[in-house]
Amino acid sequence: MTILKWLLIVVAAVYVCGLAVLFFKQREMLFPIPPVGRTPPDAAGLPEAEEHVLTTADGEKVIVWHVPAKPGRPVVLFFHGNGDFLAGRVARFKGITSDGTGLVALSFRGYAGSSGAPSERGLLLDAAAAYGFAAARYHAEQIVVWGFSLGTGVAVAVAAEHPVGKLILEAPYTSTTDVAGALFPIVPVSLFMRDQFHSDRRIARVTAPLLVMHGTSDPVIPIRFGERLFALGREPKRFVRFPGGGHDNLDEFGAIETARQFINAAGG
């Protein structure tokens, strides 16, 4: 009995220590900021883009790249993933804008030249500033919000609170607590996770046409989370599964063309 008691004590101590590490390191895990500094778009290979520095409601300075839309074309308001930086998405941005579609791509606070440290509240303030930038230049119905991975939570929040033309979610989730809970099933993540990005509680307020794209072999955000979120969204909506597609390689499976068809379709 004494051995069993001490074994239980050791297991409990290890568990508590593990919880402490997860609690204090959670933002480093959720926001693994790449060690990349500010890169002008022309140096990154996107000379058609203009760099702007926006001031958020709480005083941070965040960077957006803007490729002006050709007359009559929509503009994509793009929110990147948690390990992304704008210069690393140039090939995608070229694909998005190749038909005259405009682009407003935000570098979240703490990422690649933007000031501050990331949090859910902070990213939503960054997104509000980026939306304001786009809305000052384009009609609301021209704005197509596109979120990837972590950025889908931001995209849903923007589309739930502001008028937009369409919403594209690539590798989305119901909430970050759901994803974390699948990774750490014995950890009560919902009790101590600070940044929960509850898209499942927001998406019903989105009235714009919705496109969800997800790879069937996504190892980071399993497709079941995208399917659950899609089920909560309003019509008109469309779910596109890419057989064999992973997390960040959907352009190889036709994501750009799928998105272009959705953007150009009348009424979504």
Side-chain angles (χ1 to χ4, degrees), residues 31-100:
F31 306 109
I33 301 174
V36 177
R38 182 174 180 177
T39 306
D42 56 345
L46 196 67
E48 57 268 40
E50 312 159 349
E51 182 186 75
H52 297 265
V53 179
L54 310 181
T55 302
T56 66
D58 62 344
E60 300 294 351
K61 304 292 185 181
V62 295
I63 292 170
V64 296
W65 287 3
H66 176 216
V67 178
K70 293 294 193 293
R73 296 297 298 153
V75 61
V76 167
L77 177 56
F78 187 83
F79 300 120
H80 64 71
N82 68 342
D84 281 345
F85 55 99
L86 299 186
R89 286 289 179 176
V90 166
R92 158 163 283 197
F93 294 158
K94 283 183 174 293
I96 291 173
T97 58
S98 62
D99 65 350

Side-chain angles (χ1 to χ4, degrees), residues 40-213:
D42 56 345
L46 196 67
E48 57 268 40
E50 312 159 349
E51 182 186 75
H52 297 265
V53 179
L54 310 181
T55 302
T56 66
D58 62 344
E60 300 294 351
K61 304 292 185 181
V62 295
I63 292 170
V64 296
W65 287 3
H66 176 216
V67 178
K70 293 294 193 293
R73 296 297 298 153
V75 61
V76 167
L77 177 56
F78 187 83
F79 300 120
H80 64 71
N82 68 342
D84 281 345
F85 55 99
L86 299 186
R89 286 289 179 176
V90 166
R92 158 163 283 197
F93 294 158
K94 283 183 174 293
I96 291 173
T97 58
S98 62
D99 65 350
T101 297
L103 173 74
V104 175
L106 168 67
S107 182
F108 292 134
R109 61 182 59 201
Y111 285 77
S114 294
S115 69
S119 66
E120 179 176 8
R121 177 180 179 275
L123 266 58
L124 296 187
L125 291 175
D126 300 345
Y131 176 85
F133 176 90
R137 293 161 174 77
Y138 303 93
H139 296 297
E141 61 270 19
Q142 288 180 274
I143 300 174
V144 178
V145 179
W146 184 336
F148 165 66
S149 192
L150 179 73
T152 63
V154 179
V156 171
V158 168
E161 298 297 331
H162 301 282
V164 301
K166 295 181 180 181
L167 174 62
I168 299 173
L169 302 177
E170 180 185 1
Y173 48 85
T174 44
S175 69
T176 52
T177 53
D178 286 345
V179 178
L183 292 173
F184 306 104
I186 64 171
V187 176
V189 291
S190 61
L191 298 180
F192 67 79
M193 195 166 181
R194 298 172 180 172
D195 308 294
Q196 301 194 5
F197 291 95
H198 271 287
S199 292
D200 52 353
R201 299 177 184 174
R202 293 176 169 135
I203 197 164
R205 301 201 305 274
V206 175
T207 58
L210 169 67
L211 169 67
V212 174
M213 301 187 292

Side-chain angles (χ1 to χ4, degrees), residues 2 62 68 71 173 184 188 196 201 209 230 241-242 245 248 255 258:
T2 300
V62 295
Y173 48 85
F184 306 104
Q196 301 194 5
R201 299 177 184 174
F230 178 77
R241 296 165 179 81
F242 294 99
D248 57 3
T258 298

